[in-house]
Structures are given as C-alpha cells and as structure tokens.
Amino acid sequence: MSDGSAAFAVSTGEPIAKAVTARPPARRLPTEEAPWVRRLLIGLAVGFLGLFLLLPLVTVFMEAFRKGAGAFLAAFADPAAVDAVLLTLLVAAIAVPANLVFGVAAAWAIAKFDFRGKAFLVTLIDLPFSVSPVVAGLVYVLLYASHGLFGGLLQSAGIQIIFALPGLVMATIFVTFPFIARELIPLMEELGNADEEAALTLGASGFRMFWTVTLPNVKWALLYGVLLCNARAMGEFGAVSVVSGHIRGYTNTMPLHIEILYNEYQFVAAFAVASLLAALALVTLGIKSWLEHRYAGDLAAGHRH
Amino acid sequence: MTPTAPFVKPSVLPGFRLTIAFTLLYLTLIVLLPIGALLFRASSLGVHEIVALALDGRTLAALRLSFMTSLAAAAFNVPFGLLIAWVLVRYDFPGRRFFDAIIDLPFALPTAVAGIALTALYAPKGWIGSIAALAGLKIAFTPVGVFLALVFVGLPFIVRTVQPVLGELDRELEEAAATLGAGRLRTVASVVLPPLTPAILTGFALAFARAVGEYGSVIFIAGNIPYVSEIAPLLIVIKLEEFDYAGATAVAAIMLAISFATLLLINLIQARARARYGHV
C-alpha cells in the first residue's frame, strides 16, 4: 500500500511525496507493541495455558484409553459405575431446577425492584461461592446427622438425610446456589423495566408479561446459568463426599466413584469415568463460548435502539 | 435513606412480595440455617476451645499449609493471569477464541477429575513428574503439588476479573501518554496498570478464597502427609470420620472466618474502585 501511494505521489510530483516516502514502511502505532514483543507475549500466554490447562485435560483422555477402548468400555460394565452415573443424573435433575426457580425469583425481586438491604442480600446469595465445599457438607451434617441439631427429630420420624439422597441433593444445591441468579441479575438490571411496563400497559397479566417479555429477553443468560449450574452439580466432590458416607451403589455419585476407583489403583476405570465428566465440561465450555458469541450480538442489538 | 422511607420503592410491576418471600425462604433454608448451625455449634464450643483446637500442632500445620500455598498460588497467577488477559483482549492470533474458552476449564472440570489428572501428570512416573525427577525434584505428594493444583484452580479468577476492565479501558489515555513522550513500557505501567489494580486485587482475593477451601483437586496430588502436605479442608473430613464433631467445627469456623474476611476485603476493594474509577 505504501508503494502505491509513493508511486502516486511521485507521478503527481507534489512536494508531499518526500514526506510520504521518507516514512519507514509499516511503522507501528505508539500504542502498540513491537511485533517481536507481541509474539513473545502470545507465546508465553499460550505456553502457560497449554502447560497448566490443556495438558491436564489431555491427560484425562490419554489415561482413560491407555489400555485401549476395551478397557475403557469395561469400566462402564461395572454396575457400580452405572449406579454412579444414574445417581449423578438424578441429583442434578433435582438440584438444577430448584436453583433455576430460585434464580429467576431472586433476579426478579433484585433486578426489578429497589428495596432496602439489596446489596446485603446479593452478598448473601454469593456466600456459597466463598465457602469451602467441605464446610458446605459439614454444615448439613451438623444440622441433620444423628448427633446434629435436628438429628433426633428426624430419627424419630424415620427420615434419613445424611448418608442418603436428600443430603446429596441439599449439599449440591448449596454449592450451585448462586450460579443462575448471578447470570440473571446483572442482565435484568441492565435491561430495565420499560418492556415489562409496556406489556402491563397493553393489558398483559403478570404471568403473560413474564412469559412473553421477560423470559425471551433473558433466555440466553438463563441457559448459560443452567449450564454452569449443571456442570458444577454433576461434578461436585467435596460437599457431596462429606454427606455421602461413601455407600457404594447407594450414595456414590460419579466424582465419588472416581475417587474409590483411583484409591483402589483401578486407574483406567477411574479415568474412564473421569473422561465422561471431562467431556461434559468440554461440551459446557463449547456451548458457553458459542452463547457468549451470540449473546454479545443480542446485547449489542439491544443497545442499538 | 430516611427511616420513614418504605421498604420497597413503589413500582407498577407485580410479583415483588412473592419473589422476595421465596428468595428469603430458600436462602434461609439452604444457606443461612446450615451456616447458622455451624456458628451455633462453634459458639457453644467457645473461643477458648476453638483456639486450643486450632493451636494443636497438626491443625496449625494444615492451616498454615492451606494459607501459604493459597497465597503463593494466587500471587503466581497474578502476572500470568494479567498476561493472558492482555493477550486475549489486545491481540488477534490463530486460536484466540479457543484459548479464551479454555480459560474457564478449571470452573467446568470437576475437581476430582482435575485432581487425578494433575496427579498423573506430576507423579514421579508422569509426563512432567518424570522430567522433574531427572532434575531431582519431587512435585506430587509435596507442598509443591498442592501449590500447582491451586494454580490450576485459581487462574480463571484473575483472567476473568481483569479481562472486561482491560477491554473497556480508554485507548485515548495511552495515546495521550505516548504523545507526551512516554515509552510503551512506561505507558503500560503508569496508565494501564493503575485502573486495573482493583480488578487484579479482586481476582487475587477470589482465587485465594477458592484455594483455601479447595478440596477435590488437591487431595490426590497432596499425598496428605500429616504436618507436611495435609490441607485444612482434609482435616475437617478426617475429624468427621472420627466423629470428632467439635474438632471439625472448630477448623470449619476458622476457615469460615477466613472466607468472610476475604469477602469483606473484596467488597471494600470494589467500593473504593467504584468511588475512584466509577466502574467495576
């Protein structure tokens, strides 16, 4: 391009031609780094990500197929593995919808209304993120185990929470508690109340307004939150480990099953089950990345009018 | 707000009572009541006994290990997280979207999976572990292994808090600095870095808080040798298995205090940043 402009300048014989040709070609802007610096920084970043993130991920699949596809598949012939997969699906199928309902209700109250103590409420909703998963499990044990606060009461009623499904579900709900609310609140705050107010003015009922105006506006953020919530629900280890009692075939979710296999030196089987969860994580990241792409477009479109 | 102001600002939108009631009920049942039970248990132990339990040699060693390795891992992640955020925001290169997506891997990958993968990698017979062994270094089953697992867990916190702030930074300030004769390095150090500081500190605190409580990705690689590579969350599990509820509660109460302090610190940083830069 600089050649073309120089040729043009020379042909017209203007004095400015000197200035144009004197300028060194492809000079970088003062707010950019030299190409070698840029390449070095990109190389360092990619190298770091490769070493610290990609290598562990690759290891999961390498170890799972170390002894071939037969050994990989044999891991799932074990009835305990099948039980673990089913239990994981069951726990997620209860915990995710529960947090979905909560997330939508909390986002509606927090994003659409102004009330006292709102900032404090948001902090409380974020609380489970900063509590250790082990502590999350422990608090339920302290509450519901036979020595716990409500333990005697539950025992006399014949209800088992700890070392049983309800405990697994509660611990999972606790650790995945903020995901959906956190995705919805900032978006719904940004969108404002005008669309909903217009729907009400036009005579829509509260439910219809929510269903036809609010929900379509936030559907991608909602899906995004559900995905993250689900990935964590299926993969939770610490909290579930504390409340499970490790009863094989009964309270063993997939991550707990991985631990048992690993501690029994059944590495291929452990990594085979782990590779299922890793694949779930990859699918989650893939959809998340795709949503972010399209969701950014949605937001931009929203800003245009 | 004056005391006479209503609890909620009037609005034409329906559903406030229903949704706030449900939110508070659910929050209470799932989060507040269980945490309250822990605090109640801890208070019935008394500060004296908690301190006595915490000062027990093994507990103290575990708390120190958790605290120090978490601090070190979060600090290690700051320059690399900053570098990665910079490269992802400022440069275009093949695979940029892939690397951007993969940042969240530690969030999405179950901790137990990360734990066994890191162990396989860094164990003396693993890909990296065998190279380290040639140099006479042992990574897995030492505090270094704990540190590396916490680096894995904490990285996205720094990148994801810095990235949006860096993306919204006004390039004109950098142009102005360049016009005034500042070199590129000086511009980055004195024009770009200061507004990023609150985000960096927030990311650091988030990574630290997560690392202190981390369990699944650490216990496999740690080797769990008492006094050497045993982390505080594991100690809670061990005490629970021994039906030592008081001991477990005491360790948990100390860890909860650390998380609350970190949470408070994050809120303070963000309040100050908002006052100074008007965002975050």
Side-chain angles (χ1 to χ4, degrees), chain A residues 33 99 114 116 132 140 288, chain B residues 26 30 91 104 184 213:
Chain A
E33 289 73 48
N99 279 339
D114 262 323
R116 257 184 286 168
S132 169
Y140 286 99
K288 180 176 178 290
Chain B
Y26 192 84
I30 298 293
Y91 305 148
D104 286 321
R184 190 64 191 140

Side-chain angles (χ1 to χ4, degrees), chain B residues 121-124 126-140 144 148:
Chain B
L121 206 51
Y122 290 108
W127 288 351
I128 299 181
S130 55
I131 299 171
L134 288 179
L137 294 171
K138 199 163 179 273
I139 299 175
V144 182
L148 285 173

Side-chain angles (χ1 to χ4, degrees), chain B residues 238-264:
Chain B
I238 291 174
K239 285 181 188 292
L240 265 182
E241 279 167 0
E242 293 166 351
F243 297 102
D244 177 8
Y245 283 35
T249 305
V251 180
I254 295 166
M255 290 186 51
L256 214 52
I258 296 176
S259 346
F260 285 161
T262 318
L263 208 61
L264 200 68

